[in-house]
Amino acid sequence: MRTLKTSTAITVSAMFDLFGLSACNSSENSVNRNTPSPAAPIENVPLAEEPAGRQVPAECEKLDLRLGSQLEGKALGECVAVAISSYKSGKMKIKGDSDGTFEFTYDPDFKVQGEIQTDTSTIKMAFLGDEMWLDSGNGPVKGDRDSENEEELMAAVVGELTRELADPVQTTKLINAQPTWNVDTSKSSVTLVNGGQTDAYRIASAGPFDWHEIKVEEFVLWLDEDWVPLSTEATSGMLGMSATNSQQFYDLGEPVEIIPLG
């Protein structure tokens, strides 16, 4: 039987994938830094429609998004955090050590549900306010931090990690950890799942930086006009190993219903 320590480690690794970072990776999956980074997200991303009532956040309007410009980390972080939550809801795909698909809403509080594919299992989860539901393959379990049941305890631990990593404040802190961000001198052509294309702004960290004891070698954002978030890609390392994880956002502003697993 898998121990709580092992199960939690697997799930925590998957949660770092969910929010674009990974502590480490196996050597066969490590990134060759001599290979140029792709000019566009690694998966097709549908362009977000402008939902009724959505306006460009004031935190973004004050920034000058121009080709070849530099942006200050603190201001960019504040913008990106609210650019996502301003849609109130949406979906995202993740790719890295683990792959997954999630639906989320910020209306009014953050909620998320979806599943992650690991090397050994499929992990389903739903986070609703103070409730965290986790299904590692043996049925849904409601998290309880004070429980003596290891599955309930693990669900609670994952819930706490979800709350921390999903908070837009963490996005602000992550980007703020690198003072300078560079906008490419030309746009990247992004192919959409509907077969269309859009030319996106590619914004990359000016150099490596540290975040929560993780060495972030490079963090890249792809944004459409009006600060529409399309995707992120993070290359991070620890103990001499590195990995690349990405998020792709789509169906922003579309209705999402988050329900308990049980």
Side-chain angles (χ1 to χ4, degrees):
M1 179 180 296
R2 182 184 298 165
T3 65
L4 172 62
K5 181 177 180 181
T6 302
S7 299
T8 302
I10 291 173
T11 309
V12 166
S13 175
M15 291 307 299
F16 271 104
D17 283 344
L18 171 57
F19 297 102
L21 293 171
S22 176
C24 59
N25 197 2
S26 64
S27 58
E28 69 175 316
N29 290 327
S30 61
V31 176
N32 182 351
R33 301 306 297 159
N34 293 323
T35 301
S37 298
I42 56 180
E43 286 191 2
N44 293 338
V45 187
L47 181 62
E49 296 291 339
E50 196 76 10
R54 193 263 181 179
Q55 296 179 340
V56 177
E59 292 85 348
C60 298
E61 280 190 326
K62 66 183 180 181
L63 299 181
D64 188 7
L65 185 58
R66 291 180 295 108
L67 296 175
S69 65
Q70 282 193 338
L71 298 172
E72 190 266 330
K74 181 178 179 180
L76 178 62
E78 293 174 348
C79 165
V80 173
V82 296
I84 297 174
S85 60
S86 68
Y87 281 97
K88 304 299 184 183
S89 62
K91 301 175 184 177
M92 66 178 171
K93 293 182 179 180
I94 64 170
K95 188 173 180 64
D97 286 343
S98 308
D99 297 345
T101 304
F102 284 83
E103 299 177 322
F104 61 88
T105 176
Y106 290 95
D107 190 15
D109 301 316
F110 176 76
K111 300 176 184 178
V112 64
Q113 68 183 11
E115 63 180 43
I116 292 175
Q117 301 288 337
T118 72
D119 291 338
T120 57
S121 64
T122 297
I123 301 174
K124 298 180 180 180
M125 62 184 67
F127 173 59
L128 309 86
D130 293 331
E131 289 188 30
M132 179 65 196
W133 291 86
L134 190 67
D135 186 346
S136 298
N138 298 317
V141 176
K142 184 179 180 180
D144 183 351
R145 198 66 179 86
D146 299 321
S147 176
E148 295 183 0
N149 180 291
E150 67 176 35
E151 294 298 327
E152 293 178 355
L153 179 58
M154 184 180 75
V157 170
V158 173
E160 292 174 2
L161 182 63
T162 302
R163 181 183 293 108
E164 178 180 356
L165 292 179
D167 190 335
V169 172
Q170 294 299 328
T171 302
T172 301
K173 291 180 178 180
L174 167 64
I175 297 177
N176 189 33
Q178 166 53 254
T180 305
W181 294 74
N182 297 322
V183 183
D184 277 7
T185 56
S186 61
K187 288 187 175 182
S188 299
S189 179
V190 179
T191 302
L192 311 178
V193 293
N194 62 9
Q197 290 187 327
T198 187
D199 291 331
Y201 292 96
R202 182 182 184 273
I203 307 174
S205 53
F209 60 97
D210 295 320
W211 183 77
H212 282 227
E213 301 182 357
I214 296 173
K215 174 65 71 175
V216 182
E217 300 171 15
E218 184 180 49
F219 195 94
V220 180
L221 309 166
W222 282 271
L223 302 172
D224 207 350
E225 298 290 344
D226 293 333
W227 297 92
V228 176
L230 293 179
S231 66
T232 72
E233 184 175 272
T235 299
S236 54
M238 181 176 287
L239 301 177
M241 297 177 287
S242 64
T244 298
N245 297 276
S246 66
Q247 302 167 298
Q248 290 83 38
F249 302 100
Y250 62 106
D251 286 354
L252 296 177
E254 293 296 320
V256 169
E257 182 181 7
I258 310 297
I259 59 175
L261 296 181

